[in-house]
Amino acid sequence: MRRPLFFLMLVLGWTAAQASHPLLTEDTGVLGEGVWQLELHGEAIRDERDHAAAVLAYGVAASADLQLEAPRDGDAALSLKWRFYEAGPVSLVLKPDVTDSGWGANFVAGYELGAVELLGHLGYARADGESSRHASAALLFNALPNLKLALDFARDTNPDRDTHVLGLIYALARDIDLGFGRKGGDERAWLFGAKFRW
């Protein structure tokens, strides 16, 4: 990986948690107390079995969400997403999680500048006696009031891979978001997802 990209990821903010699909980078948004959200997301990979998961989240406080992710294949995960700092354009999130076979911890930083949002994500996971690390950075651009364009770069270990995503997030209604993207690099797939809040 090029050093400037890796440095950018470290400056902005390691298990790879799903964010607003199609992002690989977690975001710093939380639902707010008493709000529910269901996210359905998946990957279509050529010549391989597709991946899919559902994530049910509930705002337990103004700055914290409890999330339960149930993938079609693999471990279920229970996470607490806590936005512990927010001042002006800067926000910081801690997101620990436990799975059937281990645990993980994530740190996320966000910076908003007008129509542009920068995100950085560092994650670490330990499962079945093995560890893995995740580092990613994303740029989101509000192209229209209900449309965001996204560019995301990620580096993962165990297995080692570099990936990037070009995608969009469309607010179909106030409480419904749709995501679509193309993942490239060492792993290629079409990404899709939908979020429903109530």
Side-chain angles (χ1 to χ4, degrees), residues 95-113:
K95 187 179 179 184
D97 53 60
V98 293
T99 68
D100 296 336
S101 60
W103 60 274
N106 300 276
F107 172 75
V108 187
Y111 183 81
E112 291 189 46
L113 183 62

Side-chain angles (χ1 to χ4, degrees), residues 43-65:
E43 299 184 9
I45 307 168
R46 187 176 179 178
D47 300 328
E48 292 185 31
R49 185 174 182 186
D50 297 342
H51 300 287
V55 182
L56 182 63
Y58 177 71
V60 295
S63 59
D65 297 344

Side-chain angles (χ1 to χ4, degrees), residues 97-164:
D97 53 60
V98 293
T99 68
D100 296 336
S101 60
W103 60 274
N106 300 276
F107 172 75
V108 187
Y111 183 81
E112 291 189 46
L113 183 62
V116 175
E117 183 178 3
L118 297 172
L119 296 169
H121 174 184
L122 298 174
Y124 176 84
R126 186 86 178 161
D128 295 326
E130 296 186 358
S131 62
S132 60
R133 292 176 178 81
H134 170 88
S136 61
L139 171 70
L140 287 87
F141 174 67
N142 290 311
L144 296 169
N146 58 346
L147 179 66
K148 290 183 181 182
L149 304 179
L151 182 60
D152 203 347
F153 298 92
R155 170 78 176 123
D156 290 280
T157 65
N158 197 20
D160 290 328
R161 63 178 178 253
D162 293 305
T163 25
H164 59 270

